[in-house]
Amino acid sequence: MKHFNDIEDNEIRIIGQPEVTRKPWYRRWWVWTIAASVMALLAVVLFLWTRYWSANPDATAKEAPVESIAVEPTVVQHAPATVLVYDTVVNDVPLRLYTPTNATPELCLGLPDTTDESIILALQAADIRADNHKIVGAFVLKGEPLSWGLSKQGFCAIFDGKMHIGMAENSPLFEEATEKGGYFFRQYPLVNQGAMVENKPKGKAHRHALCELDGKIVVVSSIDRESFHDFAQALADLGIENAVSLTGGLAWGYCRDNEEGIQSWGGDLKNWTSMPELNYILWRATR
């Protein structure tokens, strides 16, 4: 038997384990597997982000959102002022659309004069407090501020022959309506830039809304008693871009039909005559 210490003079013997030669990191299979996985993940994220951005270009926009869009009254050439009435059903919610044509909107205090044939549509605008019968929220009548406050974020401003409806806590249109002898009031917002808006008041009632639809101003009313939620959702699904509520429930209002005369809704007029700040939005035949 030959022992390890029996080494001849011309013999070389390596003692210990042989040295292992390691491959460079870039030649290891698992490095390339991880790199390929990361690249694939980044490609998926980039693809999804590109599709989202192209479908929602405003999602990353830095510009201030448009508060409202000025809408001019609907004009039909060589035709008298009238109200076009159309019924439809959205989400099992029956709706009635009123489109005033060849008429200009304005606000007034007190009940509109039904004998004034130039008025073709009238609905109560801002709400009235039950305790003191004062106007709820900011209100401007022919350039004169009659009420202040931000109890509701929806608004309607009328000046320079155009109407603005939208949703904002503080709107410069209040000052502009004051400076230009216009009108302004606040109400609950129902639809903002195509999306429905939730409101706190619960329960069901007959609802009315001032709406922007296809570049026109229309009034939409619920034929049945509806909740704010169902009414607002029906408006959004109808394609309404912006909408603010008008006083509903038993609030009295009317439209004038050239063939059938006055068609009114709401409660007894005697309930409203004792309120000096009762206010209406009405459309008067354009002169």
Side-chain angles (χ1 to χ4, degrees):
M1 182 177 179
K2 194 172 185 178
H3 298 282
F4 286 106
N5 57 355
D6 296 335
I7 303 175
E8 299 295 336
D9 292 339
N10 60 353
E11 182 180 359
I12 297 175
R13 187 175 298 174
I14 298 174
I15 301 176
Q17 298 182 357
E19 182 180 356
V20 178
T21 301
R22 296 183 179 274
K23 295 180 180 180
W25 65 270
Y26 56 85
R27 297 184 61 185
R28 298 175 188 175
W29 66 269
W30 56 268
V31 172
W32 289 104
T33 301
I34 294 177
S37 300
V38 172
M39 292 295 292
L41 179 61
L42 290 176
V44 171
V45 172
L46 181 60
F47 173 75
L48 294 177
W49 172 252
T50 302
R51 291 197 61 181
Y52 172 79
W53 182 85
S54 62
N56 303 273
D58 294 335
T60 56
K62 300 299 182 182
E63 298 179 0
V66 177
E67 185 184 65
S68 67
I69 298 176
V71 182
E72 296 184 359
T74 301
V75 177
V76 178
Q77 296 294 335
H78 310 297
T82 189
V83 180
L84 305 178
V85 182
Y86 172 73
D87 289 355
T88 188
V89 178
V90 180
N91 300 337
D92 295 327
V93 177
L95 301 174
R96 180 161 293 158
L97 283 68
Y98 301 90
T99 304
T101 62
N102 298 336
T104 304
E106 62 184 64
L107 299 182
C108 74
L109 286 185
L111 290 171
D113 183 3
T114 57
T115 64
D116 185 346
E117 296 185 357
S118 68
I119 300 175
I120 62 170
L121 180 64
L123 301 96
Q124 188 177 333
D127 288 333
I128 300 296
R129 292 183 53 165
D131 54 353
N132 59 12
H133 296 172
K134 296 293 185 181
I135 296 173
V136 177
F139 190 93
V140 177
L141 180 68
K142 294 182 179 179
E144 180 182 358
L146 301 182
S147 178
W148 292 262
L150 177 59
S151 57
K152 300 168 184 177
Q153 293 190 2
F155 68 84
C156 168
I158 306 170
F159 51 83
D160 291 341
K162 300 178 181 179
M163 179 182 293
H164 307 250
I165 55 177
M167 174 181 174
E169 288 189 359
N170 296 291
S171 174
L173 297 180
F174 176 88
E175 287 76 13
E176 194 164 358
T178 301
E179 294 170 358
K180 295 183 176 180
Y183 308 89
F184 186 97
F185 72 93
R186 282 196 173 274
Q187 260 291 359
Y188 290 111
L190 297 176
V191 179
N192 183 45
Q193 297 183 14
M196 70 160 292
V197 180
E198 290 283 4
N199 289 283
K200 292 182 179 180
K202 305 301 179 182
K204 293 186 176 184
H206 289 284
R207 307 290 182 186
H208 307 288
L210 189 60
C211 307
E212 177 192 343
L213 175 64
D214 297 331
K216 299 178 181 179
I217 292 297
V218 300
V219 172
V220 182
S221 300
S222 68
I223 296 177
D224 299 330
R225 291 162 50 88
E226 304 290 347
S227 66
F228 260 133
H229 174 91
D230 291 346
F231 185 52
Q233 187 63 66
L235 294 179
D237 292 341
L238 181 63
I240 298 296
E241 289 91 1
N242 295 288
V244 296
S245 175
L246 297 173
T247 304
L250 296 178
W252 181 82
Y254 72 93
C255 74
R256 186 184 303 276
D257 187 286
N258 289 337
E259 297 180 357
E260 300 182 12
I262 290 179
Q263 302 176 26
S264 63
W265 53 82
D268 193 340
L269 283 176
K270 295 179 181 179
N271 298 328
W272 307 100
T273 54
S274 61
M275 300 181 183
E277 294 194 6
L278 182 70
N279 59 91
Y280 274 76
I281 181 170
L282 57 85
W283 282 261
R284 189 185 299 277
T286 302
R287 295 180 176 84

